[in-house]
Amino acid sequence: MESQLTKWGRAAAIGILLVVSGAVVVSYYQRTHLFKQPATREGRMLPENVAMHTRGFYYSQSEKGQISFDVTADVNLGYKDNKNLLEKVQVRILGKSGNRYDTITSQRCEFDQTRQDIIFLGKVVITLSSLTSGENLGSKKPGPGNNTVLSLDRIRYSQDTGNAETEDLVLFSRGLIHGSVRGLTYETRTEAVFLRSQVDITMEPARPGEAPTRLRCESLKYAKNLHLIEMRSQVSVSRASQELRADLAYALLSPDDSSLTRIDASGAVETVSRDPRHLLQVDAQRMSCLFDREGRFLDKVLASQDVRTRSLDPAVKRNVSANDMELIFKPGTNLLGQLKASGQVHGVFSDEKIAPREVAPTHSQEIEPGDKVMDASVMVVFFKPDGKQASRIEAQGSCTLREFPIRAQDENRVLSAMKFQLYFAPDVNQMDRFTAAGQVKVDLISQDRPARHTFSDRLEARFEPQTRQISQLVQSGHFLYLEGRREARAEEAHYSAASGITLLQGLADMRDDQGRTTADEIELHRNENLVKARGTVHSVLYAQNSAGPAGAFKPGSPVFASADFMESQTEKGTARYRKRAKLWQDDQIISVETIDLYRDEKRLVAENEVTTLFYPKTDHQQTSGPSGSGPVKVQAHKLTYEDKLQRMLYETKVSMNSSMGRVTCDRLEIFLNREEK
């Protein structure tokens, strides 16, 4: 977009100046009264209405010994109705200081003395040449160089209106610029030029191999006093694969050197680039292009009202819409540096996906499976040094990012925060990582499971190379996890989309209606309904309002557990504590290497170096403890407790010590009495 705006702006300015210069020449001829000079009458019979006939007509006017202009014609006819007709006319305008060599030639030239009208007819050619004051005009001929040449069949100048105009096709050229227009009006009093219809201007490239720039519109007006060019209806500026289209466009020129300073376009404005390296389209209702001081390079582009920019590359999607948009270019170049969007900013992004899409669009025709939809109050896109591909995107103000799944079984992911940053890989046009900060929230939504919600101060996401979907989430700072009745907290959390595992690190704490567990690290295995904890594991197992095993644990009170490792199958209701495991309530303790708890079966299995310590109750005791009959210590290789049988079964190398003595055996069964509440 950058290159075509600069090129077409310069071409339009130069092309209009050509037309203006040609019209000024016509006006200048009239002011010199060149057709009012006396001529010799040829001594032969003339038509009835001819008052004068002269061959070999010549007229010149000098100033300070320097010819300022001259007129030659093969024939001069003077009519009785105050009209003159010159045939095969050539007019040279040398200028007061001798630094011009402009000519106008035509088959005929009519001058109406009454109406003060001048009409050039038949193969009219106006040539505006560029000479310096030091050149000898007596021998100099117009050359191709930077000459401006206008070719047309008829042009008329009226002194009453001060207008020079033609309805015919006008062809013009100057150096690398050429074009055509049908119908031209030049207002000499206001110095305004109207190109009435079918305006077509082309600027050939200065360097070999480059494409020309072409400007087309239905009508064009140049107001010299305002330094303003107005183009109306079907405005189109194109260069190679780049094009700008609008209903109306204004170009403002510098009063010093007529360089382009600004372009304002409105009404269905479109800028399109079909360059394979930069496939882009920007649409808006209003657009302003601001140029640098020299008019060579774009400085900014301002777009407003329903602004949309999108990538035309079918392999990727880079679409942004907003109320207002500002494109900022790198100084001294036409390379895009930043794109700033504000007001209801809506972005849709995706990379080329290797994995097939299995889900039909769910949001709108704009959204496809695998797309990432970003909404924010403000969004800034930073571009790589080549000005063609984004390096990162920053968004601020109540931002949300929605990722739509490629496969039906995948979950929907919604990320929200006060600030987003999306980074692209340095060597390829692919999203690399994503960060969020300030009131971060993540919603993970599945079709067949409860939704999960996480909260934190910061977040970083990575993308899977094959699907280009989010593969990892790292959240830190006051992390909170919510899933149904389960709640977890930690200093930091790592989530893997492939495995469905969430790893909590640093003061990890998980709780639900069954109990609470703290550890150095806790893993939540979503797909297996598994919870793993390691490093200083502590659990509180809440009572389930049922009688507990009398003589082991009191009913209606929580039981505590600890170990180096813990694994819990949440759906099956099982939990395993291993390595230095301990289960206790008040002063009743089970110590062992491994404890398996079966919640639904109300069963406990302990293995490897089992040691139990409890205070049994007698019929006369209401409390347990040292004041009773004394503790009972049992050691064995394995312990099984079954609530249905109210039995504690010790197996292999059993040893029991109590106030009644010591017993050793291979198998010991202790039957308990259930204490009713």
Side-chain angles (χ1 to χ4, degrees), residues 308-364:
R308 298 175 181 271
T309 175
R310 64 188 184 93
S311 171
L312 301 178
D313 186 351
V316 299
K317 190 175 290 185
R318 305 283 188 264
N319 302 345
V320 178
S321 62
N323 294 337
D324 300 284
M325 197 172 293
E326 179 180 0
L327 285 72
I328 302 174
F329 294 82
K330 299 177 182 179
T333 71
N334 281 324
L335 300 177
L336 192 57
Q338 294 182 25
L339 183 153
K340 295 183 178 180
S342 59
Q344 298 181 347
V345 184
H346 180 74
V348 181
F349 310 104
S350 69
D351 293 337
E352 185 175 4
K353 306 173 187 66
I354 300 176
R357 297 184 176 97
E358 300 177 1
V359 184
T362 57
H363 186 67
S364 70

Side-chain angles (χ1 to χ4, degrees), residues 468-611:
R468 311 308 306 159
Q469 294 286 88
I470 292 176
S471 61
Q472 296 180 9
L473 291 175
V474 179
Q475 292 180 255
S476 58
H478 302 93
F479 175 79
L480 172 63
Y481 175 100
L482 298 177
E483 180 184 5
R485 297 181 178 180
R486 179 180 297 169
E487 175 183 317
R489 298 176 185 270
E491 294 178 345
E492 185 172 292
H494 297 252
Y495 168 71
S496 170
S499 63
I501 298 175
T502 301
L503 171 63
L504 312 181
Q505 293 180 314
L507 301 177
D509 184 334
M510 185 195 71
R511 65 188 70 186
D512 56 22
D513 55 2
Q514 301 294 323
R516 176 185 177 185
T517 297
T518 62
D520 294 337
E521 294 183 347
I522 296 178
E523 288 184 359
L524 306 177
H525 293 245
R526 168 80 163 180
N527 299 334
E528 290 81 18
N529 297 302
L530 176 66
V531 176
K532 292 183 178 181
R534 56 181 172 265
T536 319
V537 180
H538 291 279
S539 297
V540 180
L541 308 177
Y542 301 142
Q544 299 299 309
N545 297 322
S546 62
F553 300 108
K554 293 184 294 186
S557 298
V559 176
F560 300 89
S562 67
D564 289 346
F565 301 94
M566 186 274 286
E567 293 184 6
S568 174
Q569 293 282 352
T570 56
E571 283 194 350
K572 296 180 180 180
T574 64
R576 167 174 284 188
Y577 293 83
R578 62 185 179 88
K579 197 171 183 181
R580 297 189 296 179
K582 183 184 291 185
L583 197 68
W584 76 93
Q585 182 189 68
D586 295 334
D587 51 6
Q588 309 200 46
I589 305 169
I590 299 176
S591 300
V592 68
E593 278 297 298
T594 303
I595 299 177
D596 290 312
L597 301 177
Y598 301 88
R599 184 186 65 230
D600 296 340
E601 302 174 23
K602 294 185 179 181
R603 188 163 63 96
L604 177 153
V605 177
E607 292 186 274
N608 296 324
E609 301 181 8
V610 179
T611 299

Side-chain angles (χ1 to χ4, degrees), residues 18 24 40 47 55 61 104 106 120 129 144 153 155 204 217 250 284 293 313 422 457 488 533 575:
L18 302 183
V24 171
T40 25
R55 288 190 178 275
Q61 181 170 315
I104 179 169
S106 66
F120 287 93
S129 58
D153 289 332
I155 189 167
E204 300 296 338
C217 60
Y250 293 92
R293 293 182 178 180
D313 186 351
L422 177 61
D457 297 333

Side-chain angles (χ1 to χ4, degrees), residues 20-34:
V20 172
S21 302
V24 171
V25 171
V26 177
S27 174
Y28 181 75
Y29 299 155
Q30 191 279 333
R31 291 197 301 271
T32 61
H33 305 289
L34 62 91

Side-chain angles (χ1 to χ4, degrees), residues 207-497:
R207 298 178 180 179
E210 294 184 353
T213 300
R214 187 177 183 185
L215 164 64
R216 290 172 290 177
C217 60
E218 279 303 304
S219 63
L220 185 149
K221 177 182 178 181
Y222 172 62
K224 183 178 180 181
N225 58 337
L226 300 176
H227 308 285
L228 185 67
I229 298 172
E230 176 185 303
M231 292 160 281
R232 289 186 174 272
S233 184
Q234 301 181 28
V235 180
S236 171
V237 182
S238 59
R239 181 177 185 268
S241 59
Q242 300 172 335
E243 183 177 10
L244 181 146
R245 298 187 291 264
D247 295 335
L248 176 66
Y250 293 92
L252 185 63
L253 307 179
S254 169
D256 298 328
D257 56 6
S258 296
S259 61
L260 188 61
T261 62
R262 181 183 182 117
I263 295 174
D264 293 317
S266 61
V269 184
E270 294 181 357
T271 62
V272 180
S273 171
R274 293 185 174 86
D275 185 337
R277 300 166 299 176
H278 192 194
L279 295 168
L280 180 67
Q281 178 171 334
V282 181
D283 303 338
Q285 289 301 311
R286 309 183 72 86
M287 189 178 296
S288 297
C289 306
L290 310 181
F291 294 81
D292 63 7
R293 293 182 178 180
E294 297 180 356
R296 295 182 57 198
F297 301 106
L298 275 168
D299 184 29
K300 293 182 180 179
V301 173
L302 308 176
S304 60
Q305 298 183 18
D306 194 22
V307 187
R308 298 175 181 271
T309 175
R310 64 188 184 93
S311 171
L312 301 178
D313 186 351
V316 299
K317 190 175 290 185
R318 305 283 188 264
N319 302 345
V320 178
S321 62
N323 294 337
D324 300 284
M325 197 172 293
E326 179 180 0
L327 285 72
I328 302 174
F329 294 82
K330 299 177 182 179
T333 71
N334 281 324
L335 300 177
L336 192 57
Q338 294 182 25
L339 183 153
K340 295 183 178 180
S342 59
Q344 298 181 347
V345 184
H346 180 74
V348 181
F349 310 104
S350 69
D351 293 337
E352 185 175 4
K353 306 173 187 66
I354 300 176
R357 297 184 176 97
E358 300 177 1
V359 184
T362 57
H363 186 67
S364 70
Q365 293 300 319
E366 181 188 11
I367 308 302
E368 296 179 295
D371 287 352
K372 297 166 184 61
V373 178
M374 185 184 298
D375 294 292
S377 300
V378 177
M379 186 181 297
V380 182
V381 182
F382 298 87
F383 287 82
K384 296 177 182 179
D386 61 3
K388 297 181 175 67
Q389 297 178 356
S391 62
R392 78 179 188 275
I393 296 175
E394 292 185 358
Q396 295 181 353
S398 300
C399 311
T400 60
L401 176 69
R402 297 176 176 86
E403 184 177 63
F404 292 85
I406 294 178
R407 300 174 298 181
Q409 65 269 28
D410 292 341
E411 58 192 2
N412 285 274
R413 304 183 183 103
V414 182
L415 287 65
S416 60
M418 298 305 297
K419 183 177 181 180
F420 283 167
Q421 292 197 53
L422 177 61
Y423 295 87
F424 294 82
D427 51 347
V428 293
N429 188 18
Q430 290 183 347
M431 290 175 278
D432 182 49
R433 63 189 180 94
F434 173 86
T435 64
Q439 302 177 28
V440 177
K441 181 184 179 184
V442 179
D443 299 315
L444 304 173
I445 304 170
S446 301
Q447 296 182 359
D448 55 350
R449 296 186 181 186
R452 289 169 292 163
H453 310 281
T454 63
F455 305 83
S456 62
D457 297 333
R458 297 169 298 277
L459 175 146
E460 181 171 346
R462 293 285 183 173
F463 300 98
E464 202 277 328
Q466 298 297 317
T467 64
R468 311 308 306 159
Q469 294 286 88
I470 292 176
S471 61
Q472 296 180 9
L473 291 175
V474 179
Q475 292 180 255
S476 58
H478 302 93
F479 175 79
L480 172 63
Y481 175 100
L482 298 177
E483 180 184 5
R485 297 181 178 180
R486 179 180 297 169
E487 175 183 317
R489 298 176 185 270
E491 294 178 345
E492 185 172 292
H494 297 252
Y495 168 71
S496 170

